[in-house]
Amino acid sequence: MAEADTTQVELREEAPAAAHAKGEEKDEEKKVHPRTHVDVQKVLAVVKQKSEVKKLSNGFFRYVVFLAIYITAVVLQRDATTAQSLQSAVHAYLEGGYRDAETTENRNFYNIHTPRHFWEWHENFVMNVIFVNTYNNGLPRTGKERNTLLRYNRLCSGFRMVQRRGRRDVCGFENKDFLTFSRDCTQRTYLDGRVGGTSKENFMGADGVTEYVYEELESGIPGSYAKDVGFFQEFRDTDRATSLARLQELRNNRWINEGTQWYRLDFVLYNPNVGLFCAVNMKMEFDNTGIVIPEIETETMGSTINSTWTDRVRLGLEICTVVFWAIYVVVYTRRAISAAKQHKRTFAFFSERVNILVFLQLVVFLVIIVLWAIIMQNPIRSNLVVSADEITLKGGLPANFTGLTILSGAYFIVNGVNVLLSLFRILTFMRVNKNLSQLTDTINLMLGDLQQFAVILLTLLLAFMLMSHTMFGTTLEDFAILSNSAINTFEHLLGRGNYFQLAEADPIAAPLFYFPFVFIMIFVVLNITIAIIMDGYNLMQEQRKELAQGSLKARVELPFTTQVWNGVLRILSPCKDLMPDKWRKIETEYGVQIDRFSAPTIKEVLELLDDFVEEEDPETSDSGRSYHTIEYVKSKLRHKQTTPERIEAVFDRYGGWVDPSQITVEPPTMSKLANPTIKKLQEYIGKVKRDQKEIETKVDLILSTFPA
């Protein structure tokens, strides 16, 4: 009799066509059938999936809170709106021009081509825009109003000029006859004149008396070990006439000559309205081909730390970010140790790609924390000496924030990289809902094929990059440097190329490059790349359909908004007595209404049905799944601390009831003996079906691409 109670049942593989059609008509109706048989496997599969989703949802919620605190702190640190407004105003002001005395042309910083243009720009423009000693009506500015640019930005301590030079050597011509025509050559320098054929030798002015000395000055506060090197000229006088006379002297002595490879004019402004310093660097690279390449760099820095309420809020958020980071480090370190012990491999934790991403982000956060600590501990602000006429550093050095601005720039670049890693982390959390995980599922399915095809893609891009560089590098600036050539080749791939520009540069080379590129890269390679992505997307959709046909159909079709609402109600469970009935009630697929807060929990169900875990086979098809009578389940769970009503509530809540008219009885002994074999066979059949669907998808794609 006991053996009869344990009889398992199996779904019929085929149902009558009429019954099938009738079932489809009633898909939207509630399932009503005798409550005699249950599917324990389905309940276990649903509950375990809900358990995983719950764990992932909790991690997602914690990570979003952490990310919100971190990003808010970084936004407050950057204060981008005010900083960008100040820098834009300064850029627009300094990009103004003057009229060339000889040609009457309008010139500005960006069209300086010769030493004459260089000195005239300083004399006719720089002196007027930096030393602002009169009001608009012509009246003189006095006291604190002197040298105030754009109404609010006052010059801190004059300006400074510095150049770096290249070595002047005998030209290395193979044919020595050319030495009779041109003997000396200037070595090229790189990285702002710091690397390459640099010269540290003093040089004489044109008067044969004045000697200009190479110096290594501290960049920032004394003792910082940061050096600014070159040939310096400091204009601490705030009088325009005096500074103009010094400029004329430098011009007459040819301070800028054939050895000059790099030049910078720098000064610092202070805006009291927003409490920001603005460091300005106007650079020129004197290439040894004769071209002058100008560049303006500006960077802002707060004059005080933690002086306003927003600064204090930011400090609190920074502390919270560090605490969250430390907790994450401890948690994931424990998980890594546990995984290493469990799998007996030191780096078993990194077998999952998501854990590699977690490790990278924790390391990046460490770099961010260290950089910000260095920036905050930098004593340059406390070393400022403020007087009525100027702001300098202790020791009389001009205010120089070069080192601090470099650190600040690096800090925010690393934060940008961290935001990108955070985006990837968020995508991994999208597994909480099948409707949201389509992107990540597609990427996982097509990543292997795409990685292999990327070798071909990059090889072709490299070939066309070199082809464009050799064909157009001497005539078009866009292809003169390999890095620029790579970027422009990629723009051609995106359809932004200009054939007529290439044809104007070289009418013979243009068609030889352009048309093969369009055919190979756009018509073929780009479409294959899209096909690989679509292949992964189609496989993802097929997997979703398979899941929707099984026991997890309700979970696959669950809208994200409903999932979020259920999570909100779970968080608000302490206030359940104040909720309306429609929030508390859940209507099951059988038309039974249950209280969501008194229904069996995931933990309770797993503990209750642990005796059936060994019988679980969630990967088998419906035809191979086994079922039990409710009486048998109750008798088997009699030793549990539960009631028959509670057991029935489990199958009500998680959709575990089975229509007995859809099942047939099979001898229990045969089922038990055949179960392992059937399981392996079903796994093999499932794999064959997936492979077949993948092949069919690729064939359909080929047929649609190349129709008969």
Coordinates of all heavy atoms in Angstrom, one line a residue, residues 602-680:
I602 N 10.2 31.7 0.7 CA 11.1 30.8 -0.1 C 11.9 29.9 0.9 O 12.1 28.7 0.6 CB 12.1 31.8 -0.8 CG1 11.3 32.6 -1.9 CG2 13.2 31.0 -1.5 CD1 12.1 33.6 -2.6
K603 N 12.4 30.5 2.0 CA 13.2 29.6 2.9 C 12.4 28.5 3.5 O 12.8 27.4 3.6 CB 13.7 30.5 4.0 CG 14.6 29.8 5.0 CD 15.1 30.8 6.1 CE 16.0 30.0 7.1 NZ 16.5 30.9 8.2
E604 N 11.1 28.8 3.8 CA 10.2 27.8 4.4 C 10.0 26.7 3.4 O 10.0 25.5 3.7 CB 8.9 28.5 4.8 CG 7.9 27.5 5.4 CD 6.6 28.2 5.7 OE1 6.5 29.4 5.5 OE2 5.6 27.5 6.1
V605 N 9.8 27.0 2.1 CA 9.5 26.0 1.1 C 10.7 25.1 0.9 O 10.5 23.9 0.7 CB 9.0 26.7 -0.2 CG1 8.9 25.7 -1.3 CG2 7.7 27.5 0.0
L606 N 11.9 25.7 0.8 CA 13.1 24.9 0.6 C 13.3 24.0 1.7 O 13.7 22.8 1.5 CB 14.3 25.9 0.4 CG 14.3 26.7 -0.9 CD1 15.5 27.6 -0.9 CD2 14.4 25.7 -2.1
E607 N 13.1 24.4 3.0 CA 13.2 23.5 4.1 C 12.1 22.4 4.1 O 12.4 21.3 4.5 CB 13.2 24.3 5.4 CG 14.4 25.3 5.6 CD 14.3 26.1 6.8 OE1 13.2 26.0 7.5 OE2 15.2 26.8 7.2
L608 N 10.9 22.8 3.7 CA 9.8 21.9 3.7 C 10.0 20.8 2.7 O 9.7 19.6 3.0 CB 8.5 22.7 3.5 CG 7.2 21.9 3.7 CD1 7.1 21.5 5.1 CD2 6.0 22.7 3.2
L609 N 10.5 21.1 1.5 CA 10.5 20.1 0.4 C 11.9 19.6 0.2 O 12.3 19.1 -0.9 CB 10.1 20.8 -0.9 CG 8.6 21.3 -0.9 CD1 8.3 21.9 -2.3 CD2 7.6 20.2 -0.5
D610 N 12.8 19.7 1.2 CA 14.2 19.2 1.0 C 14.2 17.7 0.8 O 15.2 17.2 0.2 CB 15.1 19.7 2.2 CG 14.6 19.1 3.5 OD1 13.5 18.5 3.5 OD2 15.3 19.3 4.5
D611 N 13.2 17.0 1.2 CA 13.2 15.5 1.0 C 13.0 15.2 -0.4 O 13.3 14.0 -0.8 CB 12.1 14.9 1.8 CG 12.3 15.0 3.3 OD1 13.5 15.2 3.7 OD2 11.4 14.8 4.1
F612 N 12.5 16.1 -1.2 CA 12.3 15.9 -2.7 C 13.4 16.4 -3.6 O 13.3 16.3 -4.8 CB 11.0 16.5 -3.1 CG 9.7 15.9 -2.5 CD1 9.3 16.4 -1.2 CD2 9.1 14.9 -3.1 CE1 8.1 15.9 -0.7 CE2 7.9 14.4 -2.5 CZ 7.5 14.9 -1.3
V613 N 14.4 16.9 -3.0 CA 15.5 17.5 -3.8 C 16.2 16.5 -4.7 O 16.5 16.7 -5.8 CB 16.5 18.2 -2.9 CG1 17.7 18.7 -3.7 CG2 15.9 19.4 -2.2
E614 N 16.4 15.3 -4.1 CA 17.1 14.3 -4.9 C 16.2 13.8 -6.1 O 16.7 13.3 -7.1 CB 17.4 13.1 -4.1 CG 18.4 13.4 -3.0 CD 18.7 12.1 -2.2 OE1 18.1 11.1 -2.4 OE2 19.6 12.2 -1.3
E615 N 14.9 14.0 -6.0 CA 14.0 13.6 -7.1 C 13.9 14.7 -8.1 O 13.3 14.5 -9.2 CB 12.6 13.3 -6.6 CG 12.6 12.1 -5.6 CD 11.2 11.8 -5.1 OE1 10.3 12.4 -5.6 OE2 11.1 11.0 -4.1
E616 N 14.4 15.9 -7.8 CA 14.2 17.0 -8.7 C 15.0 16.8 -10.0 O 16.1 16.4 -10.0 CB 14.7 18.3 -8.0 CG 14.6 19.5 -8.8 CD 15.4 20.7 -8.2 OE1 16.0 20.5 -7.2 OE2 15.4 21.8 -8.8
D617 N 14.4 17.2 -11.1 CA 15.0 17.1 -12.4 C 14.5 18.3 -13.3 O 13.7 18.1 -14.2 CB 14.7 15.8 -13.1 CG 15.6 15.6 -14.3 OD1 16.5 16.4 -14.5 OD2 15.4 14.6 -15.0
P618 N 14.9 19.5 -13.0 CA 14.3 20.7 -13.6 C 14.7 20.8 -15.1 O 14.0 21.6 -15.8 CB 15.0 21.9 -12.9 CG 16.3 21.3 -12.3 CD 16.0 19.9 -12.0
E619 N 15.6 20.1 -15.6 CA 16.0 20.3 -17.0 C 15.2 19.4 -18.0 O 15.3 19.5 -19.2 CB 17.5 20.1 -17.2 CG 18.3 21.1 -16.5 CD 19.8 20.9 -16.8 OE1 20.2 19.9 -17.5 OE2 20.6 21.7 -16.3
T620 N 14.5 18.4 -17.4 CA 13.7 17.5 -18.3 C 12.5 18.2 -18.9 O 12.0 19.1 -18.4 CB 13.3 16.2 -17.5 OG1 12.5 16.7 -16.4 CG2 14.5 15.5 -17.0
S621 N 12.0 17.6 -20.0 CA 10.8 18.1 -20.6 C 9.6 17.7 -19.8 O 9.7 16.9 -18.9 CB 10.8 17.6 -22.1 OG 10.6 16.2 -22.1
D622 N 8.5 18.3 -20.2 CA 7.3 17.9 -19.5 C 6.9 16.4 -19.6 O 6.4 15.9 -18.7 CB 6.1 18.7 -20.1 CG 6.2 20.2 -19.7 OD1 7.0 20.5 -18.8 OD2 5.5 21.0 -20.3
S623 N 7.3 15.8 -20.7 CA 6.9 14.4 -20.9 C 7.7 13.5 -19.9 O 7.3 12.4 -19.7 CB 7.2 14.0 -22.3 OG 8.5 14.2 -22.6
G624 N 8.8 14.0 -19.4 CA 9.7 13.2 -18.5 C 9.6 13.6 -17.1 O 10.3 13.1 -16.3
R625 N 8.8 14.6 -16.8 CA 8.7 15.1 -15.4 C 7.8 14.2 -14.6 O 6.8 13.7 -15.1 CB 8.2 16.5 -15.4 CG 8.2 17.1 -14.0 CD 7.6 18.5 -14.0 NE 8.5 19.4 -14.8 CZ 8.0 20.4 -15.6 NH1 6.7 20.6 -15.6 NH2 8.9 21.1 -16.3
S626 N 8.1 14.0 -13.3 CA 7.3 13.1 -12.5 C 6.5 13.9 -11.5 O 6.9 15.1 -11.2 CB 8.2 12.2 -11.7 OG 9.2 12.9 -11.0
Y627 N 5.4 13.4 -11.1 CA 4.4 14.0 -10.2 C 4.0 13.1 -9.1 O 4.3 11.9 -9.1 CB 3.2 14.4 -11.0 CG 3.5 15.3 -12.2 CD1 3.8 14.7 -13.5 CD2 3.5 16.7 -12.1 CE1 4.1 15.5 -14.5 CE2 3.7 17.5 -13.2 CZ 4.1 16.9 -14.4 OH 4.4 17.7 -15.4
H628 N 3.4 13.7 -8.1 CA 2.9 13.0 -6.9 C 1.5 13.4 -6.5 O 1.0 14.4 -6.9 CB 3.8 13.3 -5.7 CG 5.3 13.1 -5.9 ND1 5.9 11.9 -5.9 CD2 6.3 14.0 -6.3 CE1 7.2 12.0 -6.1 NE2 7.5 13.2 -6.4
T629 N 0.9 12.5 -5.8 CA -0.4 12.8 -5.3 C -0.2 13.7 -4.0 O 0.8 13.6 -3.4 CB -1.2 11.6 -4.9 OG1 -0.5 10.9 -3.8 CG2 -1.4 10.6 -6.1
I630 N -1.2 14.5 -3.8 CA -1.0 15.5 -2.6 C -1.0 14.7 -1.3 O -0.4 15.1 -0.4 CB -2.2 16.5 -2.6 CG1 -1.9 17.5 -1.5 CG2 -3.5 15.9 -2.5 CD1 -0.7 18.4 -1.7
E631 N -1.7 13.6 -1.3 CA -1.8 12.7 -0.1 C -0.4 12.1 0.2 O 0.0 12.1 1.3 CB -2.8 11.6 -0.2 CG -4.2 12.2 -0.3 CD -4.6 13.0 0.8 OE1 -4.2 12.7 2.0 OE2 -5.4 14.0 0.6
Y632 N 0.3 11.7 -0.9 CA 1.6 11.2 -0.7 C 2.6 12.2 -0.2 O 3.4 12.0 0.7 CB 2.1 10.6 -2.0 CG 3.6 10.3 -2.0 CD1 4.2 9.3 -1.3 CD2 4.5 11.2 -2.8 CE1 5.5 9.1 -1.2 CE2 5.8 10.9 -2.8 CZ 6.4 9.9 -2.0 OH 7.7 9.7 -2.0
V633 N 2.5 13.5 -0.7 CA 3.3 14.6 -0.2 C 3.1 14.9 1.2 O 4.0 15.0 2.0 CB 3.1 15.8 -1.1 CG1 3.9 17.0 -0.6 CG2 3.6 15.5 -2.6
K634 N 1.8 14.9 1.6 CA 1.5 15.2 3.0 C 2.0 14.1 3.9 O 2.5 14.4 5.0 CB 0.0 15.3 3.1 CG -0.6 16.6 2.5 CD -2.1 16.6 2.7 CE -2.7 17.8 2.0 NZ -4.2 17.9 2.1
S635 N 1.9 12.8 3.5 CA 2.4 11.7 4.3 C 3.9 11.8 4.5 O 4.4 11.5 5.5 CB 1.9 10.4 3.8 OG 2.5 10.2 2.5
K636 N 4.5 12.2 3.4 CA 6.0 12.2 3.4 C 6.5 13.4 4.3 O 7.6 13.3 4.9 CB 6.6 12.3 2.0 CG 8.1 12.1 1.9 CD 8.6 11.9 0.5 CE 10.1 11.7 0.5 NZ 10.6 11.4 -0.9
L637 N 5.7 14.4 4.4 CA 6.1 15.6 5.1 C 5.5 15.6 6.5 O 5.5 16.6 7.2 CB 5.7 16.9 4.4 CG 6.4 17.0 3.0 CD1 5.9 18.3 2.4 CD2 7.9 17.0 3.1
R638 N 5.0 14.4 6.9 CA 4.3 14.4 8.2 C 5.2 14.7 9.4 O 4.8 15.3 10.4 CB 3.7 13.0 8.4 CG 2.7 12.9 9.6 CD 2.0 11.5 9.5 NE 1.3 11.3 8.3 CZ 0.9 10.2 7.8 NH1 1.2 9.0 8.4 NH2 0.2 10.1 6.6
H639 N 6.5 14.4 9.2 CA 7.4 14.6 10.3 C 7.9 16.1 10.4 O 8.5 16.5 11.4 CB 8.7 13.8 10.1 CG 9.4 14.1 8.9 ND1 9.0 13.8 7.6 CD2 10.6 14.8 8.7 CE1 9.9 14.2 6.7 NE2 10.9 14.8 7.4
K640 N 7.5 16.9 9.4 CA 7.8 18.3 9.4 C 6.9 19.1 10.4 O 5.7 18.7 10.6 CB 7.7 18.9 8.0 CG 8.6 18.2 7.0 CD 10.0 18.7 7.1 CE 10.9 18.1 6.0 NZ 12.3 18.6 6.0
Q641 N 7.4 20.2 10.9 CA 6.5 21.0 11.7 C 5.6 21.9 10.9 O 5.8 23.1 10.7 CB 7.4 21.9 12.6 CG 8.3 21.1 13.6 CD 7.5 20.3 14.6 OE1 6.5 20.7 15.1 NE2 8.0 19.1 14.9
T642 N 4.6 21.3 10.3 CA 3.7 22.0 9.4 C 2.3 21.4 9.5 O 2.1 20.4 10.1 CB 4.2 22.1 8.0 OG1 3.4 22.9 7.2 CG2 4.3 20.7 7.4
T643 N 1.4 22.0 8.7 CA 0.0 21.5 8.6 C -0.3 21.1 7.2 O 0.3 21.7 6.3 CB -0.9 22.5 9.2 OG1 -0.9 23.7 8.3 CG2 -0.6 22.9 10.6
P644 N -1.3 20.3 7.0 CA -1.8 20.0 5.6 C -2.2 21.3 4.8 O -1.9 21.4 3.6 CB -2.9 19.0 5.8 CG -2.7 18.4 7.1 CD -2.0 19.5 8.0
E645 N -2.8 22.2 5.5 CA -3.2 23.4 4.9 C -2.0 24.2 4.4 O -2.1 24.9 3.3 CB -4.1 24.3 5.8 CG -5.5 23.7 6.2 CD -5.4 22.6 7.2 OE1 -4.3 22.4 7.8 OE2 -6.4 21.8 7.4
R646 N -1.0 24.2 5.2 CA 0.2 25.0 4.8 C 0.9 24.3 3.6 O 1.4 25.0 2.8 CB 1.2 25.0 6.0 CG 2.3 26.0 5.9 CD 1.8 27.4 5.9 NE 2.9 28.4 6.0 CZ 2.7 29.7 5.9 NH1 1.5 30.1 5.7 NH2 3.7 30.5 5.9
I647 N 0.9 23.0 3.5 CA 1.4 22.3 2.4 C 0.7 22.7 1.1 O 1.2 22.9 0.1 CB 1.4 20.8 2.6 CG1 2.4 20.4 3.8 CG2 1.8 20.0 1.4 CD1 2.3 19.0 4.2
E648 N -0.7 22.7 1.2 CA -1.5 23.1 0.1 C -1.2 24.5 -0.3 O -1.2 24.9 -1.5 CB -3.0 22.9 0.4 CG -3.4 21.4 0.5 CD -4.9 21.2 0.7 OE1 -5.6 22.3 0.7 OE2 -5.3 20.1 0.9
A649 N -1.0 25.4 0.7 CA -0.7 26.8 0.4 C 0.6 26.9 -0.4 O 0.7 27.9 -1.3 CB -0.6 27.6 1.7
V650 N 1.6 26.0 -0.2 CA 2.8 26.1 -1.0 C 2.5 25.9 -2.5 O 3.0 26.6 -3.3 CB 3.8 25.0 -0.5 CG1 5.0 24.8 -1.5 CG2 4.3 25.3 0.9
F651 N 1.7 24.9 -2.8 CA 1.4 24.6 -4.2 C 0.4 25.6 -4.8 O 0.4 25.9 -6.0 CB 0.8 23.2 -4.3 CG 1.8 22.1 -3.9 CD1 1.8 21.5 -2.7 CD2 2.9 21.8 -4.8 CE1 2.7 20.6 -2.3 CE2 3.8 20.9 -4.4 CZ 3.7 20.3 -3.1
D652 N -0.4 26.3 -3.9 CA -1.2 27.4 -4.4 C -0.3 28.6 -4.8 O -0.5 29.2 -5.9 CB -2.2 27.8 -3.3 CG -3.4 26.9 -3.2 OD1 -3.7 26.2 -4.2 OD2 -3.9 26.8 -2.1
R653 N 0.6 28.9 -3.9 CA 1.5 30.1 -4.1 C 2.4 29.9 -5.3 O 2.6 30.9 -6.1 CB 2.3 30.3 -2.8 CG 3.3 31.5 -2.9 CD 2.6 32.8 -3.0 NE 3.5 33.9 -3.1 CZ 4.0 34.4 -4.2 NH1 3.7 33.8 -5.4 NH2 4.8 35.4 -4.2
Y654 N 2.9 28.7 -5.5 CA 4.0 28.6 -6.6 C 3.5 27.7 -7.7 O 4.3 27.2 -8.5 CB 5.2 28.0 -5.9 CG 5.8 28.9 -4.9 CD1 5.7 28.6 -3.5 CD2 6.5 30.1 -5.2 CE1 6.2 29.4 -2.6 CE2 7.0 30.9 -4.3 CZ 6.8 30.6 -2.9 OH 7.4 31.4 -2.0
G655 N 2.2 27.6 -7.9 CA 1.6 27.0 -9.1 C 2.0 25.5 -9.3 O 2.4 25.1 -10.4
G656 N 1.9 24.7 -8.2 CA 2.3 23.3 -8.3 C 1.3 22.3 -8.5 O 1.6 21.1 -8.5
W657 N 0.0 22.7 -8.7 CA -1.1 21.7 -8.9 C -1.1 21.2 -10.4 O -0.7 22.0 -11.3 CB -2.5 22.3 -8.6 CG -2.6 22.7 -7.2 CD1 -2.5 23.9 -6.6 CD2 -2.9 21.8 -6.1 NE1 -2.7 23.9 -5.3 CE2 -2.9 22.6 -4.9 CE3 -3.1 20.4 -6.0 CZ2 -3.2 22.0 -3.7 CZ3 -3.3 19.9 -4.8 CH2 -3.4 20.7 -3.6
V658 N -1.5 20.0 -10.6 CA -1.5 19.3 -11.9 C -2.8 18.8 -12.2 O -3.5 18.2 -11.3 CB -0.4 18.2 -11.9 CG1 -0.4 17.6 -13.3 CG2 1.0 18.7 -11.6
D659 N -3.3 18.9 -13.4 CA -4.6 18.4 -13.8 C -4.4 16.9 -14.0 O -3.6 16.4 -14.8 CB -5.0 19.0 -15.2 CG -6.4 18.6 -15.6 OD1 -7.0 17.7 -14.9 OD2 -6.8 19.1 -16.6
P660 N -5.1 16.1 -13.2 CA -4.9 14.6 -13.3 C -5.4 14.0 -14.6 O -5.0 12.9 -15.0 CB -5.8 14.1 -12.1 CG -6.8 15.2 -11.9 CD -6.1 16.5 -12.2
S661 N -6.2 14.7 -15.4 CA -6.7 14.2 -16.7 C -5.5 14.2 -17.7 O -5.7 13.6 -18.7 CB -7.9 15.0 -17.2 OG -7.5 16.4 -17.5
Q662 N -4.4 14.9 -17.4 CA -3.3 15.1 -18.3 C -2.2 14.1 -18.0 O -1.1 14.2 -18.6 CB -2.8 16.5 -18.3 CG -3.8 17.5 -18.7 CD -4.1 17.5 -20.2 OE1 -3.2 17.2 -21.0 NE2 -5.4 17.6 -20.6
I663 N -2.4 13.2 -17.1 CA -1.3 12.3 -16.6 C -1.7 10.8 -16.7 O -2.9 10.5 -16.7 CB -0.9 12.6 -15.2 CG1 -2.0 12.5 -14.2 CG2 -0.3 14.0 -15.1 CD1 -1.7 12.7 -12.8
T664 N -0.7 10.0 -16.9 CA -0.9 8.5 -16.9 C 0.0 7.9 -15.8 O 1.1 8.5 -15.5 CB -0.5 8.0 -18.3 OG1 0.8 8.3 -18.6 CG2 -1.5 8.5 -19.3
V665 N -0.4 6.8 -15.3 CA 0.3 6.1 -14.3 C 1.4 5.2 -14.9 O 1.1 4.5 -15.9 CB -0.6 5.3 -13.4 CG1 0.1 4.6 -12.3 CG2 -1.7 6.2 -12.8
E666 N 2.5 5.2 -14.3 CA 3.6 4.3 -14.7 C 4.1 3.5 -13.5 O 4.2 4.1 -12.4 CB 4.7 5.1 -15.4 CG 5.7 4.2 -16.1 CD 6.6 5.1 -16.9 OE1 6.2 5.6 -18.0 OE2 7.7 5.3 -16.4
P667 N 4.5 2.3 -13.6 CA 5.0 1.5 -12.4 C 6.1 2.3 -11.8 O 7.1 2.7 -12.4 CB 5.4 0.2 -13.0 CG 4.6 0.0 -14.2 CD 4.4 1.4 -14.8
P668 N 6.1 2.4 -10.4 CA 7.2 3.1 -9.8 C 8.5 2.5 -9.9 O 9.5 3.2 -10.0 CB 6.7 3.1 -8.3 CG 5.8 1.9 -8.2 CD 5.1 1.8 -9.5
T669 N 8.6 1.2 -9.9 CA 9.9 0.5 -10.0 C 10.6 0.9 -11.3 O 11.8 1.1 -11.4 CB 9.8 -1.0 -9.8 OG1 8.8 -1.5 -10.8 CG2 9.3 -1.3 -8.5
M670 N 9.8 0.8 -12.4 CA 10.4 1.1 -13.8 C 10.8 2.6 -13.8 O 11.9 2.9 -14.4 CB 9.3 0.8 -14.8 CG 9.0 -0.6 -15.0 SD 10.4 -1.6 -15.6 CE 10.7 -0.8 -17.2
S671 N 10.0 3.4 -13.2 CA 10.4 4.9 -13.2 C 11.6 5.1 -12.5 O 12.5 5.9 -12.9 CB 9.2 5.7 -12.6 OG 9.6 7.0 -12.6
K672 N 11.8 4.5 -11.4 CA 13.0 4.7 -10.6 C 14.2 4.1 -11.3 O 15.3 4.7 -11.2 CB 12.9 4.0 -9.2 CG 11.8 4.7 -8.3 CD 11.7 4.0 -7.0 CE 10.7 4.7 -6.1 NZ 10.6 4.0 -4.8
L673 N 14.0 2.9 -11.9 CA 15.2 2.4 -12.6 C 15.6 3.2 -13.8 O 16.8 3.3 -14.2 CB 14.9 0.9 -13.0 CG 14.7 -0.1 -11.9 CD1 14.3 -1.4 -12.4 CD2 16.1 -0.3 -11.2
A674 N 14.6 3.7 -14.5 CA 14.8 4.4 -15.8 C 15.2 5.8 -15.6 O 15.7 6.5 -16.5 CB 13.6 4.3 -16.7
N675 N 14.9 6.3 -14.4 CA 15.1 7.8 -14.2 C 16.5 8.3 -14.6 O 16.6 9.3 -15.3 CB 14.8 8.2 -12.8 CG 14.8 9.7 -12.6 OD1 14.1 10.4 -13.3 ND2 15.5 10.1 -11.6
P676 N 17.6 7.7 -14.1 CA 19.0 8.2 -14.5 C 19.2 8.1 -16.0 O 19.8 9.1 -16.6 CB 19.9 7.3 -13.7 CG 19.1 6.7 -12.6 CD 17.7 6.6 -13.2
T677 N 18.8 7.0 -16.6 CA 19.0 6.9 -18.1 C 18.1 8.0 -18.8 O 18.6 8.6 -19.8 CB 18.6 5.5 -18.6 OG1 19.3 4.5 -17.8 CG2 18.8 5.3 -20.0
I678 N 16.9 8.1 -18.4 CA 16.0 9.1 -19.0 C 16.6 10.5 -18.9 O 16.6 11.3 -19.8 CB 14.6 9.1 -18.4 CG1 13.9 7.7 -18.9 CG2 13.8 10.2 -18.9 CD1 12.6 7.5 -18.2
K679 N 17.1 10.8 -17.7 CA 17.7 12.1 -17.5 C 18.9 12.4 -18.4 O 18.9 13.5 -19.1 CB 18.2 12.2 -16.0 CG 18.8 13.5 -15.7 CD 19.2 13.6 -14.2 CE 19.9 14.9 -13.9 NZ 20.3 15.0 -12.5
K680 N 19.8 11.4 -18.6 CA 20.9 11.6 -19.5 C 20.4 11.7 -21.0 O 20.9 12.6 -21.7 CB 21.9 10.4 -19.4 CG 22.6 10.4 -18.1 CD 23.6 9.2 -18.0 CE 24.3 9.1 -16.7 NZ 25.2 8.0 -16.6

